[in-house]
Amino acid sequence: MMLSYIENILPRIKQFSATLERKEFFVDTPWVIIDDQKKQQKYIFRRNGDLIMSLNGTVSLGHWEYISAARSLLIDRINDKILLNQNFVDPAVMVLNLDGHKDGYFILANELLIPDLDVSGYLQRLYYLKNNIATRKLKSGEFLELITFSGITSGSTVAINGQPVSDCFVELAESDKKYDMRNL
């Protein structure tokens, strides 16, 4: 589910991405990658080009280099070398793609800024903040999303979990408030 959510939100937040050229975003910071087997591996990109890789406390020392012409990181992980292209970068999250693969994601979370490693939740909050979207949890467990929550009026932009809606009836989880969005 995390990967499908991230694939869905990336196009909507890409405009807020920094660039890997700003090395201060990722150098000397503990980044955690959660692999397909749910193992957490820590990467620390050192300013001198060293890459500290820790898996369950066992450390390997590799190397990294930023390739500006490709907006990519070349990573030597001792047993292989990979080229990762920039997709989305900010101080808390880096979403990189394995070169030549649109869906070969490397998702790194800054464990100092996202201690629970909930990348999907972080990206969702970032999207809401940057787009001035207010949310309310619905009794169904979904989230009602509004451009500024000053009430639902004719012409309001309304979505549920990112999908625009125009003809529905919803009930808020935290109160008995109900909204009829038919014929807005």
Side-chain angles (χ1 to χ4, degrees), residues 1-125:
M1 176 164 160
M2 177 180 89
L3 188 55
S4 63
Y5 181 79
I6 290 172
E7 286 175 337
N8 181 31
I9 201 165
L10 280 175
R12 296 186 281 155
I13 62 169
K14 211 164 203 153
Q15 69 201 37
F16 307 114
S17 179
T19 175
L20 289 170
E21 288 177 349
R22 298 193 57 194
K23 294 176 185 149
E24 66 271 11
F25 275 143
F26 66 91
V27 169
D28 293 325
T29 299
W31 292 95
V32 176
I33 298 173
I34 301 172
D35 68 17
D36 296 336
Q37 291 80 33
K38 303 293 183 206
K39 292 180 187 171
Q40 296 180 12
Q41 185 170 11
K42 188 178 296 188
Y43 278 21
I44 301 173
F45 299 88
R46 303 299 309 262
R47 197 164 298 284
N48 66 359
D50 286 344
L51 175 62
I52 298 170
M53 299 171 289
S54 174
L55 180 61
N56 299 323
T58 302
V59 173
S60 303
L61 187 61
H63 299 282
W64 71 274
E65 177 184 353
Y66 176 65
I67 312 290
S68 61
R71 295 176 51 196
S72 302
L73 290 178
L74 175 62
I75 297 180
D76 181 348
R77 301 187 298 184
I78 308 304
N79 56 349
D80 67 356
K81 293 180 182 178
I82 57 174
L83 186 64
L84 299 174
N85 301 324
Q86 173 181 314
N87 193 323
F88 180 83
V89 176
D90 89 345
V93 173
M94 288 196 299
V95 179
L96 308 172
N97 292 90
L98 189 59
D99 189 53
H101 298 272
K102 288 186 177 184
D103 58 352
Y105 290 106
F106 274 73
I107 300 168
L108 297 96
N110 178 336
E111 72 176 352
L112 300 176
L113 299 178
I114 309 175
D116 64 359
L117 305 177
D118 181 8
V119 172
S120 298
Y122 171 81
L123 292 175
Q124 183 179 51
R125 289 186 299 278

